[in-house]
Amino acid sequence: MNIFVGPAWGALSDKLGRRPVYIYGAIACGVLAFPFFWMLQTRQTGIICLANLLPLCLGHAAMYGPQAAFFSELFPANVRYSGASLGYQLASVFAGGLSPLLATALLAWGKGSPVGVSLYMIVLVLITVVSVGLTKETFKRGIGPEASPLPARAPLPLAGAPLVAPVPV
């Protein structure tokens, strides 16, 4: 399903902006944190399928659709690949990598109740909303070197080339 709705959210971010679409996706995930577990507890196949589809299509895809453009546009051209990649990889370690461990611990702490996991999800949503809210909107800015706030650097010399020009004697 995300193969259809992800590009739709990305296209919407081309019209409305990356930040509002991304923030909407985060808020949708937070709003659905408790209903997700309530729907799972019904043990009815159709409702469980809906419990999985709603947060994925309304929340996750709304963030993931514009994410590549949003992250890339946050950095000037000369550090874009490194900046976007470093941010993405660190977030995946700290948020994505630790989340299953924390969710398991919260379920154990709550004696099987998903309340702790839902609250954890809401905390992550709040961090996301504040973080994205503090960034500048990027979707109408140019992304080429001319849009870079940093001055262009001179290219590095080729291997074996002298660092300074020889002085005639």
Side-chain angles (χ1 to χ4, degrees):
M1 185 57 91
N2 274 3
I3 198 166
F4 301 110
V5 294
W9 286 113
L12 186 62
S13 80
D14 289 340
K15 296 191 181 350
L16 300 178
R18 316 286 184 228
R19 289 175 60 220
V21 173
Y22 205 96
I23 289 172
Y24 160 80
I27 291 171
C29 285
V31 166
L32 293 168
F34 280 99
F36 172 78
F37 287 106
W38 297 334
M39 293 169 82
L40 291 183
Q41 291 170 342
T42 66
R43 298 178 186 252
Q44 295 179 19
T45 305
I47 293 176
I48 291 172
C49 289
L50 189 60
N52 283 297
L53 282 175
L54 286 175
L56 284 174
C57 294
L58 299 177
H60 177 265
M63 292 185 289
Y64 205 72
Q67 189 173 72
F70 183 44
F71 285 8
S72 296
E73 292 166 352
L74 290 173
F75 298 95
N78 59 340
V79 294
R80 180 168 299 133
Y81 188 81
S82 298
S85 179
L86 183 64
Y88 189 85
Q89 300 310 320
L90 287 175
S92 69
V93 168
F94 291 111
L98 295 177
S99 289
L101 299 172
L102 290 170
T104 302
L106 289 168
L107 276 173
W109 175 75
K111 296 178 178 60
S113 169
V115 170
V117 179
S118 295
L119 292 173
Y120 171 62
M121 180 67 187
I122 291 169
V123 167
L124 292 177
V125 164
L126 292 173
I127 291 169
T128 300
V129 168
V130 169
S131 299
V132 173
L134 292 174
T135 63
K136 293 180 181 175
E137 182 54 74
T138 61
F139 83 110
K140 288 194 177 185
R141 245 183 29 204
I143 61 169
E146 71 283 349
S148 175
L150 303 174
R153 294 187 320 198
L156 294 174
L158 298 174
L163 293 178
V164 291
V167 179
V169 251

